[in-house]
Amino acid sequence: MNTAGYVSWFLALLLSPLLLGIINRTKAFFAGRRGAPLVQAYFDCWKLLQKGAVYSRTTTWVFVSGPVVGLAAVSAAAALVPLGSIGAPVSFAGDLILFAYLLGLMRFFTVVAALDTGSSFEGMGASREVWFSALAEPALLLGLAVLARETKSLSLSGMIFALTGEVWTRSGIILLLLAVALFIVLLAENARIPVDDPNTHLELTMIHEVMVLDHSGPDFGFILYGAALKLWVLSAILVGLVVPVRTGNPWLDGAAVLVGIMAVAVLVGIVESCMARLRLVRVPQLLVGAGAFSTLALILALR
């Protein structure tokens, strides 16, 4: 049994809401405010779990199952992601494809749950979500293909474990392009500025938040927790790429990745403090740019 892998999965489930608190405290620091407690997301999830859910008569089982399936999918995806040298509890050749499909399944059920309400407002958000994800997914898949090419592995655990300082010395430009692309994908997949603003309620600019407006109680708690877990898994892959700490002690390497994941949350907070949200027509250009970075990295890797 891969006990260390299960510990890393448990840490992901336990610590992922902390990332939202770090982002909000970073934004508060740049705004000169004290900000909410770091554990505010835990308080919010617990409060929502204590409440009852309200369902419209026009909705069906699709609306009810959306948050549950989404949280289950991203929890399964987290079980595929290693924590530095600590391998994932579930690892096999080709698990990177399953990882991408699990994130796609989460998004699919969020979208169909929004459409199930029959609200044109939520349909607008669903349309935008699908549009942007269609541009972000190729960048992610091409990036994973580059990692597979550079590390000669088709497993996420094998790829991250093989990324050492020697690989960076040999293929630094390729991995740097890949890191930029994955960071843009991370911002897009998690509905962060400059792609989306999780705190906005301006009708004409909302994307992800508009799709979950009709969810309440435990369902909305599942959505909030699932979003934090999705941010964690994508951050873990990014940090595994840019922090090639391989001391031979898996726990020390895992601690370095944990610090790196927290640093990614700080970086996201800095980006959101220093940038405005892009106009909707500019977002596809940003995502196409991420795809171009991944494509260029793949070309350089294949040459």
Side-chain angles (χ1 to χ4, degrees):
M1 177 182 291
N2 183 8
T3 305
Y6 284 101
V7 171
S8 69
W9 187 34
F10 175 75
L11 288 176
L13 299 177
L14 179 65
L15 299 179
S16 54
L18 190 60
L19 299 183
L20 302 180
I22 294 175
I23 292 173
N24 290 332
R25 286 298 289 267
T26 304
K27 294 168 66 177
F29 173 79
F30 275 81
R33 297 182 285 106
R34 183 176 181 181
L38 284 173
V39 293
Q40 184 62 48
Y42 294 93
F43 294 151
D44 293 341
C45 289
W46 179 252
K47 179 182 68 177
L48 290 168
L49 291 176
Q50 306 304 309
K51 294 179 177 291
V54 178
Y55 300 107
S56 168
R57 294 177 181 175
T58 63
T59 58
T60 67
W61 63 269
V62 175
F63 180 79
V64 178
S65 63
V68 178
V69 175
L71 180 57
V74 73
S75 299
L80 301 172
V81 177
L83 194 67
S85 299
I86 302 177
V90 180
S91 177
F92 55 88
D95 60 4
L96 73 169
I97 302 298
L98 177 61
F99 173 79
Y101 270 89
L102 285 171
L103 294 186
L105 179 66
M106 178 188 187
R107 180 184 304 105
F108 174 77
F109 267 85
T110 303
V111 167
V112 294
L115 294 176
D116 192 55
T117 62
S119 166
S120 57
F121 189 33
E122 296 202 23
M124 176 189 68
S127 173
R128 291 171 176 173
E129 176 84 1
V130 173
W131 178 30
F132 295 154
S133 64
L135 299 174
E137 282 184 354
L140 175 63
L141 290 172
L142 286 173
L144 294 176
V146 173
L147 283 179
R149 169 73 179 181
E150 288 297 310
T151 60
K152 314 297 182 189
S153 174
L154 293 176
S155 165
L156 285 173
S157 294
M159 290 192 297
I160 298 300
F161 185 74
L163 283 171
T164 61
E166 182 183 350
V167 178
W168 266 94
T169 303
R170 186 183 69 241
S171 309
I173 298 298
I174 295 173
L175 298 182
L176 185 60
L177 290 170
L178 189 55
V180 174
L182 289 181
F183 184 67
I184 295 174
V185 169
L186 181 147
L187 295 175
E189 288 283 348
N190 292 283
R192 311 300 311 192
I193 293 175
V195 176
D196 194 4
D197 187 352
N199 296 320
T200 185
H201 288 89
L202 182 60
E203 296 178 0
L204 294 179
T205 60
M206 295 168 69
I207 302 174
H208 179 77
E209 287 300 308
V210 70
M211 294 194 301
V212 299
L213 278 179
D214 281 355
H215 289 288
S216 59
D219 292 342
F220 191 63
F222 292 163
I223 291 172
L224 183 63
Y225 181 62
L229 195 54
K230 187 177 183 181
L231 177 60
W232 177 281
V233 297
L234 291 174
S235 298
I237 292 178
L238 178 62
V239 173
L241 168 65
V242 300
V243 185
V245 177
R246 305 292 180 263
T247 62
N249 185 333
W251 297 106
L252 193 58
D253 297 349
V257 174
L258 281 177
V259 173
I261 291 174
M262 303 303 170
V264 169
V266 173
L267 181 59
V268 172
I270 293 174
V271 170
E272 296 199 350
S273 300
C274 300
M275 289 187 66
R277 177 182 161 149
L278 293 175
R279 293 167 55 194
L280 283 177
V281 294
R282 298 292 185 190
V283 173
Q285 297 174 4
L286 177 68
L287 297 176
V288 169
F293 279 124
S294 292
T295 303
L296 181 57
L298 182 60
I299 292 173
L300 292 175
L302 293 174
R303 65 186 169 85

